[in-house]
Amino acid sequence: MTESIRRDGEYETAYQTPYQGAQLHASAPVDPEWPPPPAHQPAPGADSGGTALLTHPAPAAPAVPPVAEPPARKKRNRGPIALLAAVAIVAAAIGGGTAYGIQELTGKNDVVSSSTTTSVVPSSRTGDVASIAAAVSPSVVEVNATLSSGTSTGSGVIITSDGEIVTNNHVISGASSIKVKTSDGKEYTAQVVGTDSAKDLALIKLENASGLKAATLGDSDGVQVGDTVVAIGSPEGLTGTVTSGIVSALDRDVTVSTDESQGQQQQQQGGGWPFEFGGQQFNGETGSSTTTYKAIQTDASLNPGNSGGALIDASGNIIGINSAMYSAADATSSSEAGSVGLGFAIPINTVKSDLATLRAGGSDSNS
């Protein structure tokens, strides 16, 4: 709001100065170039110093239209709006402070995400399993592969909106056709883009897909033992199953089979993917053709069908692709091959470093 304030004597002093030191005569014509006297005259009186003062209007002077007084100097508005603007400018420069500044000045509790935020879930919901599941489940799919002598079921993670999906190589190895079901129930046909059996990774691409929700790939190098994690996949064909736990250990040397027929046999039997750890074999024989990778160990429950699914951190970022799980040594069926809290995931940084190779057809195509 603009305010007009006029102090007593302010404009009289401003207009007296040009006339000081000059003798005024009633008969003198008014100089049109000289500013006219102000509309309000000072009280009659004489200057004790002898300087002539304008004490009354000249009687012979023609009438001169009054000149509007200059407006008072505008006061700057220093209210909340100006402060908000100042805070926004400063916060934009330092990043992340905008939300705090606006919240403090307005009293609102809304959190404004900055462009540098990598959290998929709101910061106030970090670590909340329900929020993580709601945010990431649309990016996790069920993968059904038709093999020469049966079918296998696993999971996958959407990494592009047009349908690129990362999964385990052992989920789709030897498949004659692949069907994918998204969290909203839609079904797509998928084609293999590239495979890397040495890392147990594969990239498949949905046909005629668009507008899918791609997952946010995190940084597995920043994962620490004890971090909260959430696993999402399709164990036993139960699409979108969510479990949670912590990171139990890092850099576990896990050895898995690269033998296509070995993988098919294990999938059909319903057991977990065979792997070796500490010189022992779990969930069946791994065969003679194997590969070893560094894995994240978790106690989040993993079951057959979780392979290729997502291991997620407390902020909703993908930090691993679930790949192996331990089940009881005497398990004879999938119903007895439940998780006992020993699951393993391929670190997402391994996946990211392998994406270019997978998109080019994978290392297997060059061997």
Side-chain angles (χ1 to χ4, degrees), residues 10-24 31 33-38 51-54:
E10 179 179 351
Y11 299 117
E12 287 81 355
T13 301
Y15 281 93
Q16 287 173 2
T17 304
Y19 296 99
Q20 291 178 359
Q23 190 72 28
L24 298 180
D31 187 347
E33 299 298 324
W34 197 260
T51 303
L53 298 176
L54 185 61

Side-chain angles (χ1 to χ4, degrees), residues 178-202:
I178 302 172
K179 297 292 184 181
V180 171
K181 181 186 294 184
T182 56
S183 63
D184 58 3
K186 293 182 180 179
E187 293 188 355
Y188 297 85
T189 298
Q191 301 295 330
V192 175
V193 176
T195 60
D196 188 348
S197 59
K199 295 182 176 68
D200 195 17
L201 291 173

Side-chain angles (χ1 to χ4, degrees), residues 54-340:
L54 185 61
T55 59
H56 56 80
V64 179
V67 178
E69 296 181 9
R73 184 175 299 174
K74 294 181 179 180
K75 287 191 174 183
R76 293 183 179 178
N77 191 331
R78 299 184 182 274
I81 295 177
L83 288 177
L84 282 174
V87 169
I89 293 172
V90 174
I94 62 176
T98 305
Y100 175 79
I102 294 178
Q103 178 178 334
E104 287 298 304
L105 289 171
T106 63
K108 294 182 179 180
N109 293 321
D110 297 336
V111 176
V112 181
S113 298
S114 71
S115 60
T116 59
T117 299
T118 57
S119 180
V120 177
V121 298
S123 58
S124 61
R125 306 294 291 175
T126 299
D128 180 72
V129 175
S131 297
I132 296 170
V136 184
S137 288
S139 302
V140 182
V141 300
E142 178 183 308
V143 178
N144 293 287
T146 300
L147 310 174
S148 58
S149 57
T151 61
S152 70
T153 299
S155 306
V157 177
I158 300 171
I159 61 171
T160 63
S161 61
D162 61 349
E164 279 191 343
I165 293 172
V166 170
T167 186
N168 287 139
N169 178 62
H170 73 258
V171 170
I172 54 87
S173 180
S176 57
S177 65
I178 302 172
K179 297 292 184 181
V180 171
K181 181 186 294 184
T182 56
S183 63
D184 58 3
K186 293 182 180 179
E187 293 188 355
Y188 297 85
T189 298
Q191 301 295 330
V192 175
V193 176
T195 60
D196 188 348
S197 59
K199 295 182 176 68
D200 195 17
L201 291 173
L203 183 69
I204 61 176
K205 178 72 162 53
L206 303 185
E207 296 180 351
N208 304 316
S210 63
L212 302 179
K213 184 176 182 180
T216 300
L217 306 186
D219 180 9
S220 53
D221 288 344
V223 175
Q224 298 182 24
V225 173
D227 283 352
T228 297
V229 289
V230 172
I232 302 179
S234 300
E236 307 294 351
L238 301 174
T239 305
T241 296
V242 177
T243 58
S244 64
I246 63 169
V247 173
S248 302
L250 300 171
D251 298 326
R252 293 298 201 196
D253 287 321
V254 173
T255 301
V256 299
S257 175
T258 58
D259 189 328
E260 179 179 305
S261 61
Q262 183 73 22
Q264 291 180 15
Q265 179 183 0
Q266 193 68 28
Q267 294 272 353
Q268 292 163 11
Q269 291 175 349
W273 177 241
F275 70 99
E276 294 180 4
F277 176 72
Q280 300 181 33
Q281 296 190 20
F282 302 97
N283 307 332
E285 299 292 331
T286 57
S288 58
S289 179
T290 62
T291 185
T292 301
Y293 57 82
K294 298 289 186 181
I296 299 171
Q297 181 183 332
T298 178
D299 69 349
S301 180
L302 301 181
N303 291 287
N306 271 112
S307 289
L311 188 67
I312 311 156
D313 68 13
S315 296
N317 302 296
I318 311 298
I319 57 169
I321 300 297
N322 299 320
S323 59
M325 44 78 62
Y326 169 81
S327 59
D330 58 352
T332 57
S333 67
S334 61
S335 61
E336 297 173 331
S339 172
V340 293

